[in-house]
Amino acid sequence: MRLAVPKEIVAGERRVALVPETCKKLIKVGAEIAVEAGAGLASYFSDEEYRSAGATIVAEVAALLAEADFGLKVQPPVAQSAAGRHEADLLKSGSILLTTLYPTRNLDAVRRLASREITSFAADCFPRTTRAQTMDVLSSMANIGGYKGVVIAANELAKYFPMFMTAAGTVFAAKVFVIGAGVAGLQAIATAKRLGATVEATDTRPVVKEQVESVGGKFVGVEAGEAAQDERGYAKELSKDFYAKQAALIGDRCA
């Protein structure tokens, strides 16, 4: 089977769908890997590293995808201005695609893939179960997002995060408020706490109180009076009255 890794063309995207180390593993079990020239540069992987891993470097994306049995991408297929066509239209008819597709947000791409009879696996839709844990791309990226968000916030804030005692006086610790205590939120709380801030967090699910406290935050919330999460642990939509109370709480804590 021939696997193809095109260069990501969505603005600001620095990731690549396959790293050289994984290429070696796939080639060892019989796969043939083709990578678009420069696909890994934004992630600091050179074409030479891919060649050393056993992959073939292809200059033109149209030629790369036309010969692929299995396409690997990070972002959903989008319009490819360089080739004058949509990435979905460049894929070989009847082939397979693995990517973060977000199908309800990218209906045009889904329809294009379906019209070409391309079997598409949306990595963002894999169930969050123990068996699928190693394929949970959303949690791993949310973890990074929660960390990076706080680092950016600390850089933008016109004071320090930790309490500083100086000859000129004391600078009190910054107060950080995190809305949502999912994977990204918990990492944001932990990061802000490590940087020395005083951290509060809220969530529609009161059951996350213990998790918030375990990473150094103080939980503040509105009593839902109803089941706030489903059997899989995901937050459920609640009443308008609840959201009005939550908005008032957030306004108060942010002020």
Side-chain angles (χ1 to χ4, degrees):
M1 179 176 280
R2 186 177 176 86
L3 278 64
V5 182
K7 184 177 180 179
E8 298 296 325
I9 59 173
V10 171
E13 180 57 72
R14 299 180 61 86
R15 293 171 293 177
V16 62
L18 207 62
V19 301
E21 188 59 36
T22 309
C23 286
K24 291 179 186 176
K25 295 176 182 177
L26 290 170
I27 290 167
K28 195 173 285 186
V29 295
E32 201 178 309
I33 312 284
V35 179
E36 183 183 356
L41 290 179
S43 293
Y44 308 104
F45 296 114
S46 66
D47 290 348
E48 190 51 46
E49 286 178 273
Y50 282 102
R51 286 194 188 94
S52 298
T56 302
I57 302 298
V58 179
E60 296 294 328
V61 65
L64 172 83
L65 297 177
E67 297 297 319
D69 303 306
F70 198 125
L72 292 164
K73 277 182 52 58
V74 174
Q75 292 280 358
V78 294
Q80 169 64 271
S81 56
R85 295 168 65 185
H86 198 282
E87 284 182 305
D89 298 332
L90 296 175
L91 289 160
K92 185 169 73 173
S93 181
S95 62
I96 302 168
L97 174 66
L98 172 62
T99 187
T100 50
L101 188 56
Y102 300 102
T104 56
R105 300 182 206 171
N106 298 286
L107 288 173
D108 177 56
V110 170
R111 291 188 180 110
R112 287 173 183 271
L113 292 166
S115 70
R116 297 182 59 75
E117 299 184 337
I118 293 166
T119 301
S120 305
F121 291 95
D124 50 285
C125 293
F126 291 161
R128 293 176 69 182
T129 64
T130 305
R131 292 178 68 187
Q133 199 164 18
T134 56
M135 297 183 285
D136 188 354
V137 296
L138 295 184
S139 290
S140 59
M141 294 298 100
N143 199 30
I144 295 167
Y147 165 77
K148 187 70 173 182
V150 171
V151 171
I152 292 170
N155 187 59
E156 292 295 319
L157 189 66
K159 62 173 284 183
Y160 305 111
F161 260 35
M163 183 179 79
F164 273 174
M165 298 180 73
T166 74
T170 300
V171 178
F172 293 103
K175 295 176 182 178
V176 172
F177 185 61
V178 178
I179 302 171
V183 176
L186 289 171
Q187 181 58 254
I189 296 163
T191 302
K193 186 68 178 178
R194 287 197 299 270
L195 289 175
T198 299
V199 189
E200 289 185 338
T202 191
D203 195 286
T204 58
R205 304 162 298 153
V207 294
V208 302
K209 178 177 184 289
E210 187 179 340
Q211 296 173 37
V212 168
E213 292 172 348
S214 73
V215 291
K218 177 187 175 184
F219 182 80
V220 291
V222 176
E223 184 57 51
E226 53 189 304
Q229 67 177 32
D230 60 22
E231 62 280 359
R232 297 178 301 162
Y234 290 102
K236 287 169 61 177
E237 188 171 355
L238 301 173
S239 65
K240 289 182 179 178
D241 180 57
F242 172 85
Y243 289 122
K245 290 178 181 177
Q246 188 188 46
L249 171 82
I250 291 171
D252 176 62
R253 303 319 297 168
C254 288

